[in-house]
Amino acid sequence: MGRLIIVSNRTPGKGPAAGGLAVALRKVLTEHEGFWFGWSGKLVEKPEPEAVFEDIEGLNVGKIDLTQHDHHAYYAGFSNSILWPSFHLRLDLATIEGHWYEGYRRVNAQFARALKPHIQADDVIWVHDYHLIPLATELRNLGARNRMGFYLHIPFPTVDALYAIPHHNELMRDLSRYDLVGMQAERDVTAFRDFADHQAPATLSGSPLRTVDFSNTEVKAFPIGSDPDAFAKLATTPAATKMVKRMQRLLEEQALILGVDRLDYSKGLPQRVEAYEKLLANNANFRRQVHLLQVAPPSRDSIKEYQETSDTLDAMVGRVMGHFAEPDWQPLTYVKRAYGQPSLAGLYRLARVGLVTPLRDGMNLVAHEFVACQDPEDPGVLVLSRFAGAAEIFEDALLVNPFDTDETAEALRLALQMPLDERRTRWETLMQAAKTHSVDNWAKHFLEQLTPADGGNKRPPVRDVLNLDTVA
Ligand code: ADQ
């Protein structure tokens, strides 16, 4: 395999890498040579056309700046107000502003123009996530014939939701410019095939709509994971233990139920609090015996729907506190800030229940991290949404329908009362799955598939891809 070029919206910064993904990809880059390419995080009036390369702690990183106008249309607009809600089947929360699509394409074209001069003939290019679906088309239009892979970190939508996205046909054609498209779960591959197999040849204003040809594109599930061994170690370090001790002093004998999420409407936080409320309402014996800690730092808070989710959650937390709190007992703690990995690892280890109930999620790494941090002698129980990609891997979790808050409340009761033997048996299977699907294996499998021993097919030259069908 030649050099590896990783492309994502944001590039890694200085200091400890925030997530397992950044750490894993950094490791892959040290093994293969190459560089990471993306947006610098800077908004300027007139971006330079050339990328600036910088050594960041031994990692070669190429960056470009964007204009505020383009960034808004590309990031908060098309990516996070159209693609994110639609792919998560929340069309009710999508804002369809057609002009954002132009900005989205402009930024992808700008990425391609700045990246192309740095690409060598046998480089392998791995593009990440929904912000950059058109990048392969833009690069191929500039003459790149390299092997290109795309990984979608979020779920693939059902056909109906896909059809609601403006220019969906162009986006699907963009996906067909990649040699390999990786998805989180089999569920996503099935949804994709549903589109690929049933896209209806139709006519609009007399001009036939061409179907998208996926014959050169392989689509497969590559479930992402965490670094379970690293998390298991982290959970017993002094930094993690400090957090455990502080919490133990506060909790005394109460069992901790833990939620850790970005504050995002896809994570099902109001439903989660409602389920907890039902647990306390239906089982008076749990009052004073349990405590819910929900950690949820705000994200994308310039977008109205995120502010509304935050307001809803504030109101629900207030309601539960008002209803159940006593002068000397609080049913829950809600913390709107992020914690470092050592503190999180300590909290995961202390928790009797990991409550991971997104309404829809590509994978959900919190589920993986919770499993990895458990004490093998006295593990906690994972209560997991069946609509997270993680449900395909963690069959021994207590799987729930997060929309059904009675069911989640009942799963919480079962988890809190589960005998030690059953907790251990379930956890062993979960930990085995977390190890099988580690982030290192994920990267290895994706790259093996993207770079077959014979080097894979070279894409036909540009002529074939210039003729974009813009009727969608
Ligand atoms: P996210 O939607 O961000 O990721 P998730 O996978 O749960 O969701 O979390 C990513 C990381 O953020 C985890 O490593 C977690 O520790 C960290 N994190 C979350 N909440 C935190 C908090 N309150 N404080 C500190 N850290 C926190 C997207 C997709 C997911 C997919 C990932 C990776 O939406 O479905 O699993 O990408 O592919």
Side-chain angles (χ1 to χ4, degrees), residues 86-295:
S86 310
F87 279 39
H88 285 86
L89 306 187
R90 294 304 303 269
L91 291 174
D92 56 323
L93 299 182
T95 306
I96 309 289
E97 297 260 5
H99 63 94
W100 284 336
Y101 182 67
E102 310 307 323
Y104 177 73
R105 281 218 91 91
R106 244 190 337 269
V107 169
N108 273 270
Q110 187 187 337
F111 264 62
R113 282 194 306 274
L115 175 57
K116 177 67 179 53
H118 302 279
I119 298 177
Q120 298 171 7
D122 60 351
D123 286 349
V124 170
I125 303 168
W126 187 3
V127 179
H128 287 263
D129 236 358
Y130 56 103
H131 318 85
L132 298 173
I133 294 172
L135 190 62
T137 301
E138 300 296 344
L139 285 170
R140 298 212 187 279
N141 284 348
L142 295 173
R145 296 182 62 193
N146 306 62
R147 296 283 294 172
M148 290 187 206
F150 177 81
Y151 189 78
L152 184 68
H153 288 261
I154 64 176
F156 193 82
T158 58
V159 171
D160 281 354
L162 186 62
Y163 284 171
I165 299 171
H167 306 278
H168 60 269
N169 225 41
E170 285 165 49
L171 294 172
M172 291 303 103
R173 184 156 297 115
D174 291 329
L175 280 186
S176 77
R177 309 298 190 218
Y178 290 94
D179 301 289
L180 176 64
V181 172
M183 309 259 178
Q184 293 275 21
E186 292 302 336
R187 152 200 81 179
D188 304 311
V189 176
T190 306
F192 173 84
R193 294 228 168 94
D194 207 23
F195 170 81
D197 295 346
H198 298 108
Q199 33 176 340
T203 58
L204 190 66
S205 316
S207 63
L209 277 183
R210 281 190 294 132
T211 52
V212 182
D213 174 10
F214 289 107
S215 57
N216 289 314
T217 304
E218 200 168 347
V219 179
K220 232 183 124 176
F222 297 89
I224 201 170
S226 68
D227 185 339
D229 294 330
F231 265 99
K233 274 203 199 106
L234 194 59
T236 54
T237 53
T241 311
K242 196 168 144 200
M243 173 58 98
V244 170
K245 292 221 166 100
R246 269 168 52 197
M247 287 296 293
Q248 270 170 336
R249 270 202 301 277
L250 285 173
L251 289 171
E252 297 178 339
E253 295 302 309
Q254 295 170 77
L256 178 65
I257 302 173
L258 177 66
V260 174
D261 308 78
R262 272 186 313 103
L263 215 174
D264 190 298
Y265 50 76
S266 67
K267 304 292 181 185
L269 297 172
Q271 289 84 349
R272 190 179 302 174
V273 174
E274 188 174 292
Y276 181 63
E277 188 178 23
K278 285 184 174 172
L279 173 83
L280 296 180
N282 300 340
N283 307 274
N285 56 320
F286 280 129
R287 296 181 205 162
R288 294 180 176 272
Q289 302 301 312
V290 294
H291 189 88
L292 170 68
L293 170 61
Q294 177 62 55
V295 185

